[in-house]
Amino acid sequence: MSHRDASGEILAGFIAPHPPHLVYGENPPQNKPQSQGGWENLRWAYQHCRDKIKALKPDVILVHSPHWQTVVGHHFLDVPKLKGLSVDPIFPHLFQYDFELDVDTELAEACYEEALEEGLAAKKMVNPNFRVDYGTITSLHMLNPDWDIPVVGISANNSPYYHTHDYAQDQMIKLGQATRRAIEKTGRRAILAASNTLSHLHFDREPAIPEDMSQEHIMSHEQYLWDMRFIELIRQGKLDEMMDILPEFMEKTFAEVKAGSLVWMLSAMNFPKIPAQIHGYGTVIGTGNVVAEWDLDKARREGTLTEEAMVHA
Ligand code: 2X7
Ligand code: FE2
């Protein structure tokens, strides 16, 4: 792919949770384990997003995944074609997925260069036999099961678990800014995906039939209330207030947003204070999951994505 004129933009950003149960429930040909269904509210929420993504005709989907953990720096998939078997180490009986994906390497390299420019530690992932993690695969499959849009995969640097909240999320703000510049400079029409669950405390036993929906419910009422608090704020476009409660949300519910995917995405989008559309909410083995969308393309057309509607971090 060659450099286009510098008019690239982010069309939309999705919170795209990755419990492998969602792929398992759908029974796509790529996944070996077979189910009787399950987790329909989240799967149907994703179906809605699929139609919207196709209509936007993006060049690329970028995904940040908490399950590609890198200890030194932020890594970017940088091999034109990746193919192999992705297995969830905790739920191998649910997820053994034959993946085949095209990487937008020009954009991946631009993200890498811009990350260095921000002063971040960064690396290009050039191993042709790399096994892509189940978080990346699940979010991408659920958003676009046709796999006909190139992707850029970004690792989760482990810093949120080693440093203070402010330092760690500041790194993600920088990574988001670097990503935005790379998209603009390469002229891409991009979709972003923050691959994370909300509340993350979960059951340590599963039913004999994993998709037995009579057994599925939120881990605790407290977790449910936290998820609803978070969702209500993003529905109202109150990103400042949402950012304020984030540290406590992470602490009280072990929220997976701690891995940085959400803040990376919001920063890349310039923290747009527009209402997020909630496509669906559901629990998976007790965790809280939302499929949510910030439709920047629509907001631009309607004139609501103004300078005042952005938070400059
Ligand atoms: O990785 C996950 C997750 N984040 C939530 C629920 C179940 C499984 O895997
Ligand atoms: Fe996860």
Side-chain angles (χ1 to χ4, degrees):
M1 238 176 273
S2 62
H3 258 268
R4 297 156 206 196
D5 57 15
S7 58
E9 62 185 13
I10 296 168
L11 303 169
F14 292 86
I15 300 181
H18 57 245
H21 305 64
L22 305 182
V23 169
Y24 170 69
E26 191 177 292
N27 290 317
Q30 298 98 325
N31 198 37
K32 202 164 160 203
Q34 291 291 298
S35 73
Q36 298 170 320
W39 304 279
E40 277 73 14
N41 42 0
L42 283 165
R43 295 198 288 110
W44 293 340
Y46 266 117
Q47 266 170 19
H48 210 226
C49 302
R50 292 173 186 176
D51 298 338
K52 292 201 71 175
I53 290 171
K54 289 275 192 219
L56 286 167
K57 299 191 186 349
D59 297 315
V60 62
I61 305 177
L62 295 96
V63 58
H64 184 278
S65 168
H67 294 283
W68 178 16
Q69 290 178 10
T70 50
V71 177
V72 181
H74 309 269
H75 298 209
F76 302 90
L77 292 184
D78 193 16
V79 177
K81 273 190 187 295
L82 284 163
K83 190 172 159 30
L85 183 68
S86 183
V87 180
D88 182 329
I90 313 285
F91 298 99
H93 54 301
L94 306 185
F95 190 89
Q96 296 174 38
Y97 188 102
D98 268 317
F99 67 89
E100 202 169 338
L101 54 84
D102 294 322
V103 176
D104 182 342
T105 53
E106 186 186 331
L107 178 58
E109 284 168 27
C111 289
Y112 163 78
E113 297 293 342
E114 294 296 333
L116 294 182
E117 197 65 32
E118 281 290 336
L120 298 170
K123 198 166 184 226
K124 299 187 240 181
M125 200 303 296
V126 293
N127 173 1
N129 300 314
F130 186 68
R131 271 197 175 192
V132 181
D133 69 285
Y134 76 91
T136 299
I137 299 292
T138 297
S139 295
L140 288 171
H141 173 93
M142 295 310 290
L143 289 172
N144 179 35
D146 295 340
W147 293 95
D148 55 357
I149 303 168
V151 307
V152 172
I154 308 176
S155 79
N157 175 244
N158 251 359
S159 61
Y161 298 94
Y162 299 142
H163 294 288
T164 61
H165 171 84
D166 287 347
Y167 176 85
Q169 297 305 327
D170 185 56
Q171 296 277 302
M172 300 316 296
I173 289 172
K174 288 182 172 155
L175 188 66
Q177 288 164 344
T179 306
R180 178 175 65 251
R181 284 201 305 276
I183 290 167
E184 286 168 356
K185 287 185 181 174
T186 54
R188 299 298 195 266
R189 290 166 50 81
I191 298 286
L192 304 186
S195 172
N196 48 226
T197 289
L198 300 184
S199 65
H200 202 230
L201 292 166
H202 53 77
F203 302 112
D204 58 11
R205 304 283 146 85
E206 69 182 352
I209 300 169
E211 62 271 37
D212 177 352
M213 290 294 102
S214 71
Q215 304 297 308
E216 183 63 79
H217 60 87
I218 191 78
M219 179 78 183
S220 70
H221 184 54
E222 193 197 0
Q223 278 211 165
Y224 164 76
L225 291 177
W226 267 106
D227 286 343
M228 291 308 125
R229 197 170 161 196
F230 173 91
I231 289 172
E232 204 43 53
L233 290 174
I234 63 169
R235 280 186 71 208
Q236 294 176 25
K238 294 185 175 168
L239 288 190
D240 290 341
E241 288 92 327
M242 185 281 285
M243 290 297 285
D244 286 345
I245 66 158
L246 216 46
E248 202 185 346
F249 181 41
M250 290 169 183
E251 191 197 315
K252 294 273 168 56
T253 72
F254 208 64
E256 201 180 29
V257 292
K258 182 165 182 170
S261 316
L262 175 74
V263 174
W264 158 76
M265 179 172 83
L266 292 176
S267 166
M269 298 193 299
N270 250 329
F271 291 92
K273 286 184 195 158
I274 55 170
Q277 185 183 350
I278 306 303
H279 291 287
Y281 172 84
T283 68
V284 178
I285 200 161
T287 64
N289 298 268
V290 71
V291 179
E293 174 186 3
W294 283 266
D295 188 341
L296 302 192
D297 184 63
K298 179 164 169 260
R300 272 186 209 106
R301 280 187 279 107
E302 292 177 352
T304 52
L305 198 65
T306 57
E307 277 294 302
E308 302 79 65
M310 318 251 214
V311 183
H312 293 286

